[in-house]
């Protein structure tokens, strides 16, 4: 999504990326990131939580007028009410990429534990 | 619930092994120029478009191609779909092999907040929600084909619709 934001900025469209993993900014250089600690696939909030979605949306949109420098990351104050395992954000089947790199993932996990 | 002074943990919802692996792929800092288009008028006078990478398509359009990705795990569909602003959850299909899509199918606004934006338009918080929103497919791994096949044509439509700003919501 960062590359898309960069492309749009270069065509004269201001962007904000509402992102669950703001760390990807370090890979591509995202103009404005609104970082949200919500599960993947629900960056605005829970199903049918209209007021919660509105608050996240307003916070993200505010960056259009208040962000001051390229690469700015704003950490939004919202907290998801469930523990990660209870959010069930994963696909029903392991993704093809994860299957492909499963050995690398296990190695990275082992190395981090050491 | 809001927590002032919160620092977002971008890996909170990932298992530790996957977090460790992804962190090996991300550099410590970004080195390079970052494009920057400042909004030249108040948000309350601006036309705002929505863009998601969640693989949302209208039921009347072809779905994003998941079968090829299953055969070629580093390939992701590089195309895009236009989503008219009046679209609601019963109108859509969602295809994405890296998330649970059931929540978006129940309420499109968790990913592409069209109804919330219309409310903000009615209240004057934004000037106008653009007639067209867009979805592409966020899993692209190392290919940048989607820039030419999805992002460039999306930008052309945005320009034709006088879009000033775009909110992007990755899955």
């Amino acid at each position: 999504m960062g590359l898309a934001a960069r492309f749009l900025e270069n065509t004269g469209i201001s962007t904000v990326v509402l992102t669950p993993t703001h760390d990807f900014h370090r890979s591509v250089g995202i103009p404005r990131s609104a970082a949200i600690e919500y599960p993947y696939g629900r960056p605005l909030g829970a199903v049918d939580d209209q007021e919660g979605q509105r608050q996240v949306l307003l916070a993200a949109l505010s960056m259009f007028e208040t962000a001051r420098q390229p690469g700015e990351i704003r950490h939004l104050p919202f907290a998801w009410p469930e523990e990660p395992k209870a959010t069930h954000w994963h696909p029903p089947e392991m993704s093809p990429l994860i299957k492909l790199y499963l050995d690398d993932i296990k190695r990275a996990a082992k190395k981090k534990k050491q | 619930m809001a927590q002032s002074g919160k620092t977002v943990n971008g890996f909170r919802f990932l298992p530790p092994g996957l977090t460790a692996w992804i962190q090996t792929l991300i550099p410590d800092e970004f080195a390079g120029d970052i494009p920057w288009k400042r909004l030249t008028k108040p948000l309350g006078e601006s036309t705002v478009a929505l863009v998601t990478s969640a693989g949302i398509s209208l039921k009347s359009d072809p779905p994003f191609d998941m079968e090829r990705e299953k055969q070629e795990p580093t390939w992701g569909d590089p195309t895009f779909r236009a989503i008219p602003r009046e679209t609601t959850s019963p109108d859509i299909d969602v295809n994405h092999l890296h998330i649970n899509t059931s929540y978006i199918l129940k309420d499109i606004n968790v990913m592409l907040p069209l109804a919330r934006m219309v409310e903000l338009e009615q209240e004057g918080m934004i000037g106008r929600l653009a007639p067209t929103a867009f979805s592409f497919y966020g899993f692209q791994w190392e290919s940048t084909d989607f820039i030419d096949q999805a992002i460039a044509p999306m930008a052309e439509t945005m320009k034709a619709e006088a879009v000033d700003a775009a909110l992007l919501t990755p899955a």
Side-chain angles (χ1 to χ4, degrees), chain B residues 62-135:
Chain B
F64 287 92
D65 185 352
M66 299 295 99
E67 294 310 310
R68 182 172 166 187
E69 185 184 338
K70 289 176 184 173
Q71 302 303 317
E72 301 175 40
T74 60
W75 181 88
D77 190 328
T79 63
F80 76 102
R81 306 290 182 274
I83 312 288
R85 57 174 269 166
E86 58 273 16
T87 300
T88 58
S89 305
D91 303 326
I92 63 165
D93 194 5
V94 188
N95 285 281
H96 202 298
L97 297 180
H98 304 260
I99 58 167
N100 178 351
T101 59
S102 66
Y103 304 103
I104 305 170
L105 286 165
K106 286 178 191 159
D107 180 3
I108 189 174
N109 296 289
V110 304
M111 194 74 239
L112 191 69
L114 293 166
R116 299 293 83 75
M117 289 290 277
V118 168
E119 291 159 8
L120 296 185
E121 178 188 86
Q122 289 167 348
E123 296 168 26
M125 306 287 282
I126 62 169
R128 184 179 73 130
L129 173 63
T132 309
F134 302 91
S135 179

Side-chain angles (χ1 to χ4, degrees), chain A residues 47-87:
Chain A
V47 169
D48 295 332
D49 179 10
Q50 296 183 14
E51 182 53 30
Q53 294 168 6
R54 173 189 169 88
Q55 292 305 320
V56 172
L57 183 56
L58 285 171
L61 291 173
S62 74
M63 279 197 84
F64 283 115
E65 294 184 311
T66 59
R68 291 289 170 252
Q69 57 186 6
E72 186 164 329
I73 298 170
R74 183 161 305 167
H75 293 252
L76 301 188
F78 308 101
W80 192 264
E82 298 171 305
E83 287 302 306
K85 279 187 178 174
T87 61

Side-chain angles (χ1 to χ4, degrees), chain B residues 12-26:
Chain B
R12 177 161 186 247
F13 294 92
L14 286 177
L18 196 51
T19 295
W21 181 62
I22 291 173
Q23 285 175 334
T24 67
L25 306 176
I26 300 177

Side-chain angles (χ1 to χ4, degrees), chain A residues 6-18:
Chain A
R6 292 176 62 97
F7 185 96
L8 293 174
E9 296 271 342
N10 279 325
T11 63
I13 295 169
S14 184
T15 64
V16 170
V17 177
L18 176 62

